[in-house]
Amino acid sequence: MGTETGPIRARTPGPDEVLAAGPVEDSVDRHIARWTGKVPFDVPTEAVITRIQLLAKHVSHGKERALAETGLQAFEFETMHRLASRGTPWRAPSAELAAELLLSPAGMTGRLDTLERSGLVRRLRAAADRRRVDVELTEEGHRRWTEAMRWRGIAEAEMIEPLDDAERAALAALLKRMLLSVETR
């Protein structure tokens, strides 16, 4: 497996090795150098935000790869993901699923038609209330969702691999603090 810049190395140097090797320039450093003196901006803020944006793009590419590897479309994965989150038997009322996915009843029906034709979900009439339709992942649907999650996990592990456990915990805490700040405004 490779990236846009070439094959992935078997081992990424640790932070001490990178620091010992001298400064290493990334695309954000070049971006900042290109814009310095042309427009006013706070360099540390620009460095953090631009790196977050670029990492988000890499996460998105990892998700796209997971879909491509499993032959799923994004809407199929998202629907199956909601069902899988409920645990066995991976079932939910279709109206509840539509609300979670922010879909109209007609939009949900079209989505379920596609998933059902592909053998990834089945619709069941609720025994207690025949007006209610439950949606459940099939074994094939669960298998394909699990495979997509495996591919996502590979992409995420590759991204975070350069950090040791302490660095991962510190980064998670800093990002959480930033996220809480914007979520509670």
Side-chain angles (χ1 to χ4, degrees), residues 3-153:
T3 65
E4 292 175 16
T5 59
I8 294 176
R9 295 176 298 205
R11 185 178 87 61
T12 302
D16 294 336
E17 294 171 283
V18 169
L19 292 175
V24 177
E25 187 177 75
D26 68 5
S27 60
V28 175
D29 294 324
R30 291 185 296 277
H31 162 79
I32 289 170
R34 192 170 38 252
W35 284 100
T36 298
K38 295 179 178 107
V39 65
F41 62 90
D42 179 69
V43 171
T45 300
E46 182 72 8
V48 168
I49 298 304
T50 305
R51 284 188 176 100
I52 289 171
Q53 290 171 329
L54 290 174
L55 287 169
K57 284 182 183 180
H58 285 283
V59 169
S60 181
H61 290 149
K63 288 178 179 182
E64 290 168 8
R65 185 176 106 207
L67 294 175
E69 291 289 342
T70 56
L72 293 172
Q73 296 180 56
F75 80 87
E76 292 171 320
F77 176 84
E78 290 305 323
T79 305
M80 293 164 43
H81 193 64
R82 301 292 174 141
L83 291 168
S85 72
R86 288 165 166 78
T88 306
W90 317 305
R91 181 183 303 156
S94 62
E96 186 178 302
L97 200 54
E100 283 183 30
L101 294 166
L102 306 174
L103 293 172
S104 68
M108 189 76 241
T109 298
R111 184 175 285 200
L112 293 177
D113 287 347
T114 301
L115 287 163
E116 198 167 37
R117 274 193 306 273
S118 299
L120 302 174
V121 302
R122 70 175 64 84
R123 288 182 261 207
L124 309 163
R125 292 270 174 210
D129 182 355
R130 302 277 302 152
R131 295 171 297 172
R132 190 177 103 191
V133 175
D134 287 341
V135 182
E136 139 182 312
L137 275 179
T138 62
E139 288 296 325
E140 176 63 10
H142 189 260
R143 185 194 68 73
R144 298 259 306 273
W145 172 81
T146 301
E147 184 66 5
M149 289 299 292
R150 185 180 76 77
W151 279 105
R152 281 180 155 202

Side-chain angles (χ1 to χ4, degrees), residues 133-185:
V133 175
D134 287 341
V135 182
E136 139 182 312
L137 275 179
T138 62
E139 288 296 325
E140 176 63 10
H142 189 260
R143 185 194 68 73
R144 298 259 306 273
W145 172 81
T146 301
E147 184 66 5
M149 289 299 292
R150 185 180 76 77
W151 279 105
R152 281 180 155 202
I154 290 168
E156 292 167 0
E158 287 172 353
M159 282 187 67
I160 202 156
E161 190 268 333
L163 305 178
D164 65 28
D165 290 344
E167 291 168 325
R168 291 175 191 195
L171 180 59
L174 291 169
L175 292 171
K176 180 178 181 177
R177 191 165 72 192
M178 287 176 68
L179 186 58
L180 283 171
S181 172
V182 297
E183 285 181 343
T184 58
R185 284 188 186 152

